[in-house]
Amino acid sequence: YLSPKGDGPVRLVGVNMERDTKGVIIDAMGVNGRSASSWLRWDPDQLKQWFSRRPYDLIVLSYGTNEGSDPSLTPEAYRSTLKGTLSRVRSILPDVPCILVGSGDRARLISGTRYEVWGNTGWINAIQREEAPHYGCVAWDLQAAMGGEGSVVGWRKAEPPLMGSDLLHFSAAG
């Protein structure tokens, strides 16, 4: 049982719930609505302190979906942000193997059975494939793994559906 000293606000940054048994430890920094640029807003000294707690065997970064929702985003701006993000990651964890997971395919229903595929996903994933090796990372294109542009519609129509009705988030089966 934990209780704060005093009556001020409490900010919980992380919790370790490990046992002294063999297995895999996963530190997840998943924060809804974040993009790769989040790394540029986080305090680098706090990040270094956080990641110095234990050795890491692999970093998995998954970005592109939220960036793809920004209609004003340009390929040039995304490339610049991604380079800054990967530089920040490497300054904190310079020798840890890295996988950069791209955005899955996504679309929106226009009417009836007509869909529009999000065009940003393709170029965002392409930029990730181009930039990842410069930072010692491997890029994995989730959209390509799903079957390419427009495949999300088939994932939604599968039985059971592999994609949510928003054609953005995977279902539990997916």
Side-chain angles (χ1 to χ4, degrees):
Y1 183 79
L2 297 173
S3 62
K5 288 184 176 181
D7 59 359
V10 174
R11 184 172 158 193
L12 187 62
V13 178
V15 175
N16 287 343
M17 297 172 47
E18 300 164 15
R19 296 184 295 242
D20 289 330
T21 61
K22 292 183 179 182
V24 175
I25 299 172
I26 298 174
D27 283 343
M29 290 180 55
V31 182
N32 288 342
R34 293 292 174 222
S35 64
S37 65
S38 298
W39 282 83
L40 302 176
R41 292 188 300 275
W42 293 332
D43 183 288
D45 292 330
Q46 277 189 326
L47 288 172
K48 285 179 184 177
Q49 186 176 10
W50 172 267
F51 287 113
S52 70
R53 298 174 310 127
R54 70 165 123 245
Y56 287 88
D57 298 315
L58 179 66
I59 307 164
V60 179
L61 303 167
S62 182
Y63 293 110
T65 301
N66 290 329
E67 288 90 336
S69 298
D70 180 355
S72 67
L73 184 67
T74 65
E76 296 76 22
Y78 181 69
R79 185 180 304 275
S80 176
T81 297
L82 184 63
K83 285 179 171 185
T85 297
L86 294 174
S87 292
R88 172 72 52 91
V89 169
R90 281 300 175 217
S91 73
I92 296 166
L93 298 160
D95 301 317
V96 180
C98 172
I99 301 173
L100 180 58
V101 177
S103 178
D105 194 43
R106 59 189 290 196
R108 69 181 179 100
L109 179 63
I110 301 287
S111 65
T113 59
R114 291 187 49 232
Y115 297 88
E116 178 182 60
V117 175
W118 288 69
N120 290 0
T121 304
W123 61 256
I124 286 172
N125 286 338
I127 290 171
Q128 290 184 356
R129 288 190 308 273
E130 293 166 11
E131 294 300 330
H134 299 295
Y135 299 89
C137 297
V138 172
W140 189 67
D141 187 331
L142 181 54
Q143 182 182 39
M146 290 175 67
E149 188 173 300
S151 62
V152 67
V153 176
W155 281 58
R156 174 64 190 157
K157 291 181 178 181
E159 269 311 317
L162 302 174
M163 212 61 175
S165 60
D166 63 358
L167 298 168
L168 170 62
H169 295 95
F170 291 95
S171 67

